[in-house]
Amino acid sequence: MAIMNLHAAILCFLIQNLSFARLPEWSWMEEVSAARPFDPALSEWKGRPSLYVYFSPECGHCIDSWPGVLALARRARASGLRVGGIAVGGVQREDLLRFLEAYDDSMPVWFDSARTVAATYGIRSVPKVLFVEANGRVELFGDLTPRRWAQVEVIAKRIARAHP
């Protein structure tokens, strides 16, 4: 019985962490709106490698992770990788704006008001990281643990070097 549970646990891990199925390509730019007047239209980032942190301003883990997100964004921008945030659609725009003002950072943020991104990639919890390659291919990464942050940092550097 314990062996069967171990096999089931390993299978679940592989399904959740190794994507053998190709994720849908980046095509949700019309459904995702800029959070603030100075944030660019998401379509302006098409064709460039980009990293997006999908988050909620009401999520404790997102709040705790946000300073690290901003630090990663500054380092990645210096390398030429575009980094932005996508807020979940279930929050009020006013709450999102208060959250962003508290950190006083100009990292672009969009609002997934129709929940298109979440539905397209099966995002059920936050924060999550999405890498979008220049060709539109999307990689979804799990929760932002310290180990995951280290992986994201390495991948961000690799993508930035490959697309100067």
Side-chain angles (χ1 to χ4, degrees), residues 91-158:
V91 298
Q92 297 296 316
R93 186 176 291 272
E94 297 78 27
D95 294 335
L96 172 61
L97 294 176
R98 264 193 302 280
F99 173 83
L100 296 172
E101 287 171 9
Y103 291 96
D104 193 33
D105 190 81
S106 61
M107 181 180 80
V109 175
W110 296 273
F111 193 54
D112 188 20
S113 55
R115 300 180 183 183
T116 305
V117 176
T120 301
Y121 300 104
I123 298 173
R124 294 191 183 125
S125 64
V126 289
K128 297 288 190 243
V129 174
L130 294 139
F131 276 114
V132 180
E133 296 180 15
N135 63 6
R137 183 172 176 263
V138 176
E139 294 181 53
L140 177 66
F141 292 84
D143 298 327
L144 295 179
T145 62
R147 182 171 177 243
R148 181 74 66 197
W149 266 120
Q151 292 172 332
V152 167
E153 190 89 41
V154 167
I155 293 168
K157 287 178 184 176
R158 176 181 50 92

Side-chain angles (χ1 to χ4, degrees), residues 1-12:
M1 186 67 149
I3 301 242
M4 285 180 35
N5 287 340
L6 178 62
H7 288 293
I10 291 170
L11 182 60
C12 285

Side-chain angles (χ1 to χ4, degrees), residues 1 13-15 20 46 53-55 66 68 71 106 116 119 136 150 161:
M1 186 67 149
F13 174 82
L14 291 173
I15 289 169
F20 297 106
K46 187 174 184 175
V53 177
Y54 196 84
F55 73 100
W66 202 249
S106 61
T116 305
R161 279 194 306 269

